[in-house]
Amino acid sequence: MPDELMIEDLDRDGAVAEATAELKTSRSGLLRRVGLLAGGGLVAGIVPMALSRAQTSKNDVKILNYALTLEYLESAFYAEALSKGKLEGSVLNFAQVVARHEAEHVTALEAALGSAATKKPSFDFKGTTNSQKTFLSTAKVLEDTGVSAYQGQATEIDSKAILATAGSILAVEARHASWVRNIIGAGKELKPAPDVFNPALTMKQVLAAVGDTGFIKS
Amino acid sequence: MSRDIPMVDVSHLEVFDRDGALAEAADHLNHLNRRGFLRGAGAVAGGGLILGAIPARAFGQTPKGDVAILNFALTLEYLEAEFYREANKDADLDAQTDRFAKLVLQHEDAHVAALKDTLKDAAVKKPSFDFKGTTSKQSTFQATAIVLEDTGVRAYQGQAPNIKTEAVLKAAISIHPVEARHAAWIRNIVGMPPAPDTFNPADDMATVLAAVQGTGFISTASSASSGDSVSGTPAVAG
């Protein structure tokens, strides 16, 4: 499932496929690392004010940190793509709007988590931000994965308030995914809405897929 | 979109929260408590057709609240499916709009089928619709599709935290992003911002039903007699 999501799409582009293959090895390292951040010692015992007021469960803190990690990744990807200056027209507009959204998702999740928020990792996007073509194919994968990731957690979240927030982000990620697919797919086969029922991915599947990209360095 | 939209001012629907009449209706509905709301919603949206058809014996183990939510979703999906079916027949659409209309019709039909299959004999009947000429040409089709899809996204989003059953939540949360994809797609086709908000707004059931009522698209409402007189015809064979 994660392979299908990531590789099927990235394979179309030579450079990214190469990077992906090369970085398979970092997968277990990432899993270890994210495991530590999201499920391990970091959150234990540290419940910030905002969360304790809402009586946020450990489970929900873990999910919020998982979401935050994905948003850090997306946000950094769009920021880098904009800084490279290779985008133009509708693609530039997409990147500008989505960069803002992802940065605001990060801010909101950080605020919700307070001191329980996981730290921003450092990233290496393997040159995918260097051209409009690789930017688009990578953005599509990241957004599709983001949708499936939020969707997969909806049934795991304990708090109604957090579920409502996650739902409001889920819909925005789906809009991004459809948007970039429509930009790529104009006049082609690629569908902005490829499924009758959007597939969900578990946390494990998403982390494995993210690990495969090698985008998270540390 | 277009200056000569015939019957339905979709530019107003687009911001129906701020529209006087609809806002008033929504406010009214928002005052109703949960029990009262179920009656009120039936009266508003379908003259008893919408939520009133749930049998007293809730099917299976599904809580009544979830049955109501599923029927609410089914009603919206009926509306969307029929809208796209009619547009596919009536409107002369350019290539990308045609592609959108055909694929989205398939999706909405599949959503209807899935919801009916879940609800079985608790499923509400399909109302009859009058799309007020919005399906006859591309500009009104596009503008109306944007309103319907945006509304669908807000509707599913508003209900997700209210759903009690994991299986129902799973189903709803797999449809929710598909509606969001539809919304962004048609918005991009017409050159409107595909993702206008950082956090997508949600609507509660009363607000959505008031907005749907405001369109006048559900034509059964005018002929149905009152609150809970429901024709007993089951919607689904299976």
Side-chain angles (χ1 to χ4, degrees), chain B residues 70-89:
Chain B
L70 287 166
N71 268 321
F72 168 65
L74 176 57
T75 301
L76 298 179
E77 298 287 354
Y78 278 141
L79 174 74
E80 290 183 323
E82 289 317 304
F83 171 74
Y84 289 108
R85 195 177 334 281
E86 191 172 300
N88 274 301
K89 263 186 264 165

PDB file of all heavy atoms in Angstrom, chain B residues 70-89:
ATOM      1  N   LEU B  70     -26.473   8.798   8.705  1.00  0.00           N
ATOM      2  CA  LEU B  70     -26.372   8.074   7.427  1.00  0.00           C
ATOM      3  C   LEU B  70     -27.479   8.499   6.468  1.00  0.00           C
ATOM      4  O   LEU B  70     -27.246   8.645   5.266  1.00  0.00           O
ATOM      5  CB  LEU B  70     -26.451   6.554   7.675  1.00  0.00           C
ATOM      6  CG  LEU B  70     -25.206   5.920   8.303  1.00  0.00           C
ATOM      7  CD1 LEU B  70     -25.516   4.514   8.820  1.00  0.00           C
ATOM      8  CD2 LEU B  70     -24.056   5.866   7.291  1.00  0.00           C
ATOM      9  N   ASN B  71     -28.665   8.703   6.982  1.00  0.00           N
ATOM     10  CA  ASN B  71     -29.758   9.134   6.110  1.00  0.00           C
ATOM     11  C   ASN B  71     -29.576  10.578   5.644  1.00  0.00           C
ATOM     12  O   ASN B  71     -29.945  10.924   4.518  1.00  0.00           O
ATOM     13  CB  ASN B  71     -31.102   8.967   6.812  1.00  0.00           C
ATOM     14  CG  ASN B  71     -31.723   7.611   6.503  1.00  0.00           C
ATOM     15  OD1 ASN B  71     -31.632   7.131   5.365  1.00  0.00           O
ATOM     16  ND2 ASN B  71     -32.341   6.989   7.492  1.00  0.00           N
ATOM     17  N   PHE B  72     -29.013  11.364   6.492  1.00  0.00           N
ATOM     18  CA  PHE B  72     -28.653  12.741   6.115  1.00  0.00           C
ATOM     19  C   PHE B  72     -27.649  12.692   4.957  1.00  0.00           C
ATOM     20  O   PHE B  72     -27.819  13.368   3.920  1.00  0.00           O
ATOM     21  CB  PHE B  72     -28.060  13.416   7.355  1.00  0.00           C
ATOM     22  CG  PHE B  72     -27.370  14.732   7.140  1.00  0.00           C
ATOM     23  CD1 PHE B  72     -28.068  15.852   6.719  1.00  0.00           C
ATOM     24  CD2 PHE B  72     -26.006  14.862   7.407  1.00  0.00           C
ATOM     25  CE1 PHE B  72     -27.422  17.076   6.557  1.00  0.00           C
ATOM     26  CE2 PHE B  72     -25.353  16.077   7.250  1.00  0.00           C
ATOM     27  CZ  PHE B  72     -26.068  17.181   6.818  1.00  0.00           C
ATOM     28  N   ALA B  73     -26.632  11.865   5.116  1.00  0.00           N
ATOM     29  CA  ALA B  73     -25.627  11.713   4.054  1.00  0.00           C
ATOM     30  C   ALA B  73     -26.265  11.168   2.784  1.00  0.00           C
ATOM     31  O   ALA B  73     -25.980  11.637   1.675  1.00  0.00           O
ATOM     32  CB  ALA B  73     -24.508  10.781   4.532  1.00  0.00           C
ATOM     33  N   LEU B  74     -27.124  10.184   2.947  1.00  0.00           N
ATOM     34  CA  LEU B  74     -27.783   9.585   1.777  1.00  0.00           C
ATOM     35  C   LEU B  74     -28.597  10.624   1.016  1.00  0.00           C
ATOM     36  O   LEU B  74     -28.593  10.655  -0.218  1.00  0.00           O
ATOM     37  CB  LEU B  74     -28.664   8.410   2.233  1.00  0.00           C
ATOM     38  CG  LEU B  74     -29.499   7.725   1.153  1.00  0.00           C
ATOM     39  CD1 LEU B  74     -28.629   7.200   0.006  1.00  0.00           C
ATOM     40  CD2 LEU B  74     -30.315   6.570   1.762  1.00  0.00           C
ATOM     41  N   THR B  75     -29.269  11.482   1.762  1.00  0.00           N
ATOM     42  CA  THR B  75     -30.068  12.527   1.109  1.00  0.00           C
ATOM     43  C   THR B  75     -29.186  13.455   0.266  1.00  0.00           C
ATOM     44  O   THR B  75     -29.514  13.791  -0.873  1.00  0.00           O
ATOM     45  CB  THR B  75     -30.823  13.344   2.178  1.00  0.00           C
ATOM     46  OG1 THR B  75     -31.655  12.453   2.920  1.00  0.00           O
ATOM     47  CG2 THR B  75     -31.680  14.418   1.536  1.00  0.00           C
ATOM     48  N   LEU B  76     -28.056  13.836   0.844  1.00  0.00           N
ATOM     49  CA  LEU B  76     -27.135  14.698   0.098  1.00  0.00           C
ATOM     50  C   LEU B  76     -26.574  13.977  -1.129  1.00  0.00           C
ATOM     51  O   LEU B  76     -26.400  14.572  -2.193  1.00  0.00           O
ATOM     52  CB  LEU B  76     -25.983  15.156   1.001  1.00  0.00           C
ATOM     53  CG  LEU B  76     -26.376  16.005   2.210  1.00  0.00           C
ATOM     54  CD1 LEU B  76     -25.139  16.355   3.030  1.00  0.00           C
ATOM     55  CD2 LEU B  76     -27.103  17.281   1.778  1.00  0.00           C
ATOM     56  N   GLU B  77     -26.313  12.705  -0.973  1.00  0.00           N
ATOM     57  CA  GLU B  77     -25.755  11.941  -2.095  1.00  0.00           C
ATOM     58  C   GLU B  77     -26.812  11.733  -3.189  1.00  0.00           C
ATOM     59  O   GLU B  77     -26.490  11.774  -4.382  1.00  0.00           O
ATOM     60  CB  GLU B  77     -25.217  10.591  -1.613  1.00  0.00           C
ATOM     61  CG  GLU B  77     -24.074  10.688  -0.604  1.00  0.00           C
ATOM     62  CD  GLU B  77     -22.740  11.140  -1.215  1.00  0.00           C
ATOM     63  OE1 GLU B  77     -22.652  11.282  -2.446  1.00  0.00           O
ATOM     64  OE2 GLU B  77     -21.789  11.358  -0.437  1.00  0.00           O
ATOM     65  N   TYR B  78     -28.052  11.498  -2.792  1.00  0.00           N
ATOM     66  CA  TYR B  78     -29.145  11.429  -3.778  1.00  0.00           C
ATOM     67  C   TYR B  78     -29.181  12.711  -4.602  1.00  0.00           C
ATOM     68  O   TYR B  78     -29.304  12.699  -5.818  1.00  0.00           O
ATOM     69  CB  TYR B  78     -30.500  11.325  -3.074  1.00  0.00           C
ATOM     70  CG  TYR B  78     -30.986   9.978  -2.586  1.00  0.00           C
ATOM     71  CD1 TYR B  78     -31.654   9.887  -1.353  1.00  0.00           C
ATOM     72  CD2 TYR B  78     -30.848   8.822  -3.351  1.00  0.00           C
ATOM     73  CE1 TYR B  78     -32.155   8.681  -0.894  1.00  0.00           C
ATOM     74  CE2 TYR B  78     -31.350   7.603  -2.885  1.00  0.00           C
ATOM     75  CZ  TYR B  78     -32.004   7.538  -1.655  1.00  0.00           C
ATOM     76  OH  TYR B  78     -32.507   6.351  -1.205  1.00  0.00           O
ATOM     77  N   LEU B  79     -29.117  13.818  -3.854  1.00  0.00           N
ATOM     78  CA  LEU B  79     -29.191  15.131  -4.491  1.00  0.00           C
ATOM     79  C   LEU B  79     -28.053  15.309  -5.493  1.00  0.00           C
ATOM     80  O   LEU B  79     -28.266  15.690  -6.649  1.00  0.00           O
ATOM     81  CB  LEU B  79     -29.139  16.212  -3.401  1.00  0.00           C
ATOM     82  CG  LEU B  79     -29.066  17.670  -3.849  1.00  0.00           C
ATOM     83  CD1 LEU B  79     -30.404  18.136  -4.388  1.00  0.00           C
ATOM     84  CD2 LEU B  79     -28.656  18.576  -2.678  1.00  0.00           C
ATOM     85  N   GLU B  80     -26.845  15.006  -5.043  1.00  0.00           N
ATOM     86  CA  GLU B  80     -25.688  15.164  -5.920  1.00  0.00           C
ATOM     87  C   GLU B  80     -25.797  14.227  -7.131  1.00  0.00           C
ATOM     88  O   GLU B  80     -25.573  14.654  -8.272  1.00  0.00           O
ATOM     89  CB  GLU B  80     -24.392  14.875  -5.153  1.00  0.00           C
ATOM     90  CG  GLU B  80     -24.053  15.941  -4.119  1.00  0.00           C
ATOM     91  CD  GLU B  80     -22.720  15.673  -3.419  1.00  0.00           C
ATOM     92  OE1 GLU B  80     -22.403  14.487  -3.157  1.00  0.00           O
ATOM     93  OE2 GLU B  80     -22.010  16.629  -3.129  1.00  0.00           O
ATOM     94  N   ALA B  81     -26.118  12.981  -6.865  1.00  0.00           N
ATOM     95  CA  ALA B  81     -26.159  12.007  -7.961  1.00  0.00           C
ATOM     96  C   ALA B  81     -27.161  12.429  -9.035  1.00  0.00           C
ATOM     97  O   ALA B  81     -26.858  12.398 -10.235  1.00  0.00           O
ATOM     98  CB  ALA B  81     -26.501  10.615  -7.415  1.00  0.00           C
ATOM     99  N   GLU B  82     -28.338  12.848  -8.595  1.00  0.00           N
ATOM    100  CA  GLU B  82     -29.361  13.238  -9.576  1.00  0.00           C
ATOM    101  C   GLU B  82     -28.961  14.505 -10.316  1.00  0.00           C
ATOM    102  O   GLU B  82     -29.238  14.667 -11.506  1.00  0.00           O
ATOM    103  CB  GLU B  82     -30.721  13.411  -8.892  1.00  0.00           C
ATOM    104  CG  GLU B  82     -31.338  12.099  -8.441  1.00  0.00           C
ATOM    105  CD  GLU B  82     -31.200  10.985  -9.474  1.00  0.00           C
ATOM    106  OE1 GLU B  82     -31.647  11.166 -10.630  1.00  0.00           O
ATOM    107  OE2 GLU B  82     -30.620   9.926  -9.147  1.00  0.00           O
ATOM    108  N   PHE B  83     -28.306  15.399  -9.600  1.00  0.00           N
ATOM    109  CA  PHE B  83     -27.840  16.624 -10.227  1.00  0.00           C
ATOM    110  C   PHE B  83     -26.856  16.305 -11.362  1.00  0.00           C
ATOM    111  O   PHE B  83     -26.970  16.822 -12.481  1.00  0.00           O
ATOM    112  CB  PHE B  83     -27.188  17.527  -9.168  1.00  0.00           C
ATOM    113  CG  PHE B  83     -26.483  18.732  -9.729  1.00  0.00           C
ATOM    114  CD1 PHE B  83     -27.220  19.811 -10.214  1.00  0.00           C
ATOM    115  CD2 PHE B  83     -25.099  18.790  -9.790  1.00  0.00           C
ATOM    116  CE1 PHE B  83     -26.573  20.929 -10.750  1.00  0.00           C
ATOM    117  CE2 PHE B  83     -24.455  19.901 -10.314  1.00  0.00           C
ATOM    118  CZ  PHE B  83     -25.195  20.969 -10.798  1.00  0.00           C
ATOM    119  N   TYR B  84     -25.902  15.431 -11.070  1.00  0.00           N
ATOM    120  CA  TYR B  84     -24.914  15.098 -12.104  1.00  0.00           C
ATOM    121  C   TYR B  84     -25.548  14.286 -13.224  1.00  0.00           C
ATOM    122  O   TYR B  84     -25.200  14.448 -14.394  1.00  0.00           O
ATOM    123  CB  TYR B  84     -23.725  14.353 -11.492  1.00  0.00           C
ATOM    124  CG  TYR B  84     -22.861  15.268 -10.643  1.00  0.00           C
ATOM    125  CD1 TYR B  84     -22.854  15.176  -9.256  1.00  0.00           C
ATOM    126  CD2 TYR B  84     -22.092  16.260 -11.244  1.00  0.00           C
ATOM    127  CE1 TYR B  84     -22.089  16.040  -8.485  1.00  0.00           C
ATOM    128  CE2 TYR B  84     -21.320  17.127 -10.484  1.00  0.00           C
ATOM    129  CZ  TYR B  84     -21.333  17.014  -9.110  1.00  0.00           C
ATOM    130  OH  TYR B  84     -20.578  17.884  -8.356  1.00  0.00           O
ATOM    131  N   ARG B  85     -26.483  13.407 -12.881  1.00  0.00           N
ATOM    132  CA  ARG B  85     -27.144  12.609 -13.921  1.00  0.00           C
ATOM    133  C   ARG B  85     -27.857  13.540 -14.908  1.00  0.00           C
ATOM    134  O   ARG B  85     -27.734  13.409 -16.120  1.00  0.00           O
ATOM    135  CB  ARG B  85     -28.142  11.629 -13.296  1.00  0.00           C
ATOM    136  CG  ARG B  85     -28.600  10.535 -14.264  1.00  0.00           C
ATOM    137  CD  ARG B  85     -29.540   9.492 -13.646  1.00  0.00           C
ATOM    138  NE  ARG B  85     -29.395   9.332 -12.203  1.00  0.00           N
ATOM    139  CZ  ARG B  85     -28.419   8.625 -11.624  1.00  0.00           C
ATOM    140  NH1 ARG B  85     -27.520   8.001 -12.355  1.00  0.00           N
ATOM    141  NH2 ARG B  85     -28.360   8.544 -10.310  1.00  0.00           N
ATOM    142  N   GLU B  86     -28.587  14.490 -14.349  1.00  0.00           N
ATOM    143  CA  GLU B  86     -29.345  15.415 -15.197  1.00  0.00           C
ATOM    144  C   GLU B  86     -28.399  16.296 -16.029  1.00  0.00           C
ATOM    145  O   GLU B  86     -28.634  16.529 -17.213  1.00  0.00           O
ATOM    146  CB  GLU B  86     -30.243  16.282 -14.308  1.00  0.00           C
ATOM    147  CG  GLU B  86     -31.263  17.083 -15.099  1.00  0.00           C
ATOM    148  CD  GLU B  86     -32.260  17.790 -14.176  1.00  0.00           C
ATOM    149  OE1 GLU B  86     -32.972  17.101 -13.414  1.00  0.00           O
ATOM    150  OE2 GLU B  86     -32.317  19.034 -14.229  1.00  0.00           O
ATOM    151  N   ALA B  87     -27.318  16.749 -15.397  1.00  0.00           N
ATOM    152  CA  ALA B  87     -26.366  17.605 -16.123  1.00  0.00           C
ATOM    153  C   ALA B  87     -25.688  16.833 -17.257  1.00  0.00           C
ATOM    154  O   ALA B  87     -25.471  17.373 -18.340  1.00  0.00           O
ATOM    155  CB  ALA B  87     -25.317  18.156 -15.161  1.00  0.00           C
ATOM    156  N   ASN B  88     -25.355  15.576 -16.968  1.00  0.00           N
ATOM    157  CA  ASN B  88     -24.735  14.766 -18.015  1.00  0.00           C
ATOM    158  C   ASN B  88     -25.664  14.619 -19.222  1.00  0.00           C
ATOM    159  O   ASN B  88     -25.210  14.501 -20.359  1.00  0.00           O
ATOM    160  CB  ASN B  88     -24.348  13.384 -17.476  1.00  0.00           C
ATOM    161  CG  ASN B  88     -22.967  13.399 -16.815  1.00  0.00           C
ATOM    162  OD1 ASN B  88     -21.975  13.727 -17.445  1.00  0.00           O
ATOM    163  ND2 ASN B  88     -22.902  13.060 -15.539  1.00  0.00           N
ATOM    164  N   LYS B  89     -26.951  14.616 -18.960  1.00  0.00           N
ATOM    165  CA  LYS B  89     -27.927  14.505 -20.051  1.00  0.00           C
ATOM    166  C   LYS B  89     -28.160  15.845 -20.750  1.00  0.00           C
ATOM    167  O   LYS B  89     -28.219  15.919 -21.970  1.00  0.00           O
ATOM    168  CB  LYS B  89     -29.279  14.006 -19.489  1.00  0.00           C
ATOM    169  CG  LYS B  89     -29.473  12.500 -19.643  1.00  0.00           C
ATOM    170  CD  LYS B  89     -30.872  12.094 -19.200  1.00  0.00           C
ATOM    171  CE  LYS B  89     -30.839  11.604 -17.758  1.00  0.00           C
ATOM    172  NZ  LYS B  89     -32.114  11.512 -17.088  1.00  0.00           N
TER     173      LYS B  89
END
